[in-house]
Amino acid sequence: MPTTAPRTATPVALDFSASRRGPRGKPPRHFVDLTPAERVQAVEDLGEKPFRAKQLATHYFTHLTADPEAMTDLPKASRDVLVAGLFPPLLTAAKTMQADRGTTVKTLWKMFDGAKVESVLMRYKHRSTLCVSSQAGCGLACAFCATGQLGLTRNLSTAEIVEQVRSAARSLADGEVGGSPTRLSNIVFMGMGEPLANYRSVMETVRRLIAPTPDGFGMSARNITVSTVGLVPAITRLTNEGIPVTLAVSLHAPDDELRDELVPINTKWSVDETIDAAYHYFEVTGRRVSIEYALIRDINDHGWRADLLGEKLNARGKGWVHCNPIPLNPTPGSKWTSSDPAVEAEFVARLRAHGIPTTLRDTRGSDIDGACGQLAAEEDA
């Protein structure tokens, strides 16, 4: 396996702080933030019987509602007390935009403190996928990403992330996306923010997603993707969780010289260190890793870089990785653009020639700034 050469790059200042608090504060405690045992205690603290916790969980995770008027199996006095005490409003839909004949929906959410995030719901023929945000903004400053240019406002709480999921699942169940009722099947942590920089809330969200009903949504961990630009210690921590989510690594360059420029975190953990951590994830979990690679015209789309990427991935082993080249999605004011289609095709062909399973990702939602790298939470776009 390749060894990591000494680095000479000057580390870029990155923002790993939990938030820039200013006038903002910690989100209020929500039912979803609590474990099942804590929910029982919280219900009792409000003077209600402990079995009410299971009733509330059933309404939230199975019926996808926190509306007290829908909780007709609870006495009205009890539901008013419980909802007021355990279901504070966290998100308000400020704007929605549709694309792809109504099968792609981007929602701009205003948080309780005025912070803004976006989520994107995509319905396909055989699945429905929600791209969720885990931070308001992002502190990792990737050069071509609209979110990265915002800087970090704050981390989201578990409940703030889960509320994006519940809302999307309810929209699908009500037939609001694509014209007929269906279920939410897949979650990707590829919205605003670096998920592994908000590790605790993201993993607690994953636990709510996979917990059997009524304590959670009962989703399969294999239908959940957690992305990262390469926070190596956090990848190792995720490896040891024992939860078989799909790991997606946003690599974007196979050489340190270019990746230092495109993905500044590379000055802290190099390409080889990042790939080593991803391969170790596969070794421990048996889950094939996804390598994400935004193709930028005349920047990282050269044939020799496809060959170098293929060589580096194969140096760790065979059959452990899948590559997703992604045509760069345009962002306002960006100096870069997507590769020529013929160059994209050549890049894909070269990776496949190395035996690397490769799929060119579509740019669904790009016309509403809802595709990868475009989320900027702009209310008046």
Side-chain angles (χ1 to χ4, degrees):
M1 184 173 294
T3 57
T4 302
R7 302 298 310 286
T8 58
T10 301
V12 174
L14 300 171
D15 187 351
F16 288 100
S17 59
S19 65
R20 300 192 188 113
R21 290 294 182 192
R24 298 188 170 102
K26 185 177 180 180
R29 183 188 70 164
H30 190 282
F31 184 81
V32 171
D33 293 316
L34 308 177
T35 65
E38 291 170 338
R39 294 168 194 168
V40 171
Q41 184 61 56
V43 166
E44 290 183 309
D45 290 345
L46 290 171
E48 297 292 332
K49 300 294 185 182
F51 68 86
R52 299 292 185 205
K54 185 174 182 179
Q55 290 179 303
L56 292 175
T58 300
H59 282 291
Y60 188 90
F61 291 109
T62 303
H63 303 316
L64 307 172
T65 184
D67 179 3
E69 295 303 315
M71 302 179 183
T72 55
D73 56 337
L74 281 76
K76 188 176 189 314
S78 294
R79 66 177 99 145
D80 289 344
V81 168
L82 291 168
V83 170
L86 295 175
F87 293 91
L90 297 177
L91 310 180
T92 301
K95 182 178 182 180
T96 60
M97 298 179 70
Q98 295 186 357
D100 306 308
R101 298 181 179 179
T103 58
T104 299
V105 179
K106 182 177 77 167
T107 302
L108 171 68
W109 301 102
K110 279 193 175 179
M111 321 304 280
F112 80 101
D113 59 351
K116 294 182 289 187
V117 301
E118 290 177 320
S119 62
V120 183
L121 178 58
M122 296 158 284
R123 180 169 179 170
Y124 300 88
K125 185 175 181 180
H126 298 297
R127 72 184 189 279
S128 294
T129 299
L130 177 68
C131 180
V132 296
S133 292
S134 54
Q135 295 180 310
C138 183
L140 299 191
C142 293
F144 52 87
C145 177
T147 311
Q149 305 314 303
L150 296 176
L152 178 66
T153 298
R154 67 170 175 87
N155 286 337
L156 301 191
S157 68
T158 299
E160 288 175 317
I161 303 172
V162 173
E163 271 285 86
Q164 296 172 60
V165 177
R166 183 193 65 81
S167 176
R170 185 60 190 259
S171 292
L172 289 169
D174 289 345
E176 295 175 353
V177 181
S180 61
T182 190
R183 294 185 63 189
L184 180 63
S185 59
N186 295 71
I187 302 292
V188 292
F189 287 86
M190 293 183 176
M192 297 177 70
E194 160 58 48
L196 294 189
N198 186 14
Y199 190 91
R200 182 181 179 279
S201 290
V202 166
M203 291 313 300
E204 286 301 309
T205 297
V206 170
R207 292 186 176 93
R208 303 302 185 270
L209 296 176
I210 67 174
T213 56
D215 293 327
F217 291 110
M219 299 183 70
S220 169
R222 296 175 180 272
N223 290 345
I224 299 169
T225 298
V226 177
S227 68
T228 179
V229 295
L231 276 62
V232 168
I235 294 174
T236 301
R237 188 177 175 188
L238 179 66
T239 301
N240 297 326
E241 288 283 356
I243 302 175
V245 298
T246 296
L247 172 66
V249 177
S250 298
L251 200 65
H252 307 311
D255 54 306
D256 287 322
E257 182 180 7
L258 178 58
R259 196 167 192 264
D260 285 346
E261 177 186 351
L262 297 180
V263 185
I265 196 66
N266 196 72
T267 62
K268 191 172 182 67
W269 296 291
S270 69
V271 168
D272 281 327
E273 289 174 298
T274 301
I275 296 176
D276 283 344
Y279 180 68
H280 183 59
Y281 184 84
F282 165 78
E283 286 185 302
V284 172
T285 66
R287 297 286 292 149
R288 189 170 66 167
V289 175
S290 177
I291 297 294
E292 312 293 307
Y293 196 106
L295 287 169
I296 309 171
R297 184 185 297 261
D298 298 328
I299 299 294
N300 68 348
D301 59 356
H302 312 93
W304 70 265
R305 283 196 159 95
D307 289 334
L308 179 59
L309 177 59
E311 291 164 5
K312 288 199 170 193
L313 297 177
N314 281 335
R316 275 79 180 173
K318 300 283 188 177
W320 70 275
V321 70
H322 181 275
C323 280
N324 279 319
I326 310 164
L328 182 72
N329 294 301
T331 57
S334 175
K335 64 180 181 180
W336 292 319
T337 187
S338 60
S339 302
D340 183 271
V343 174
E344 294 173 356
E346 173 69 12
F347 198 94
V348 169
R350 291 206 183 201
L351 284 174
R352 289 175 176 168
H354 286 276
I356 306 294
T358 304
T359 304
L360 187 68
R361 176 90 67 82
D362 66 21
T363 55
R364 190 162 177 174
S366 61
D367 52 337
I368 55 171
D369 291 338
C372 294
Q374 290 187 312
L375 300 185
E378 295 180 350
E379 190 166 358
D380 299 319

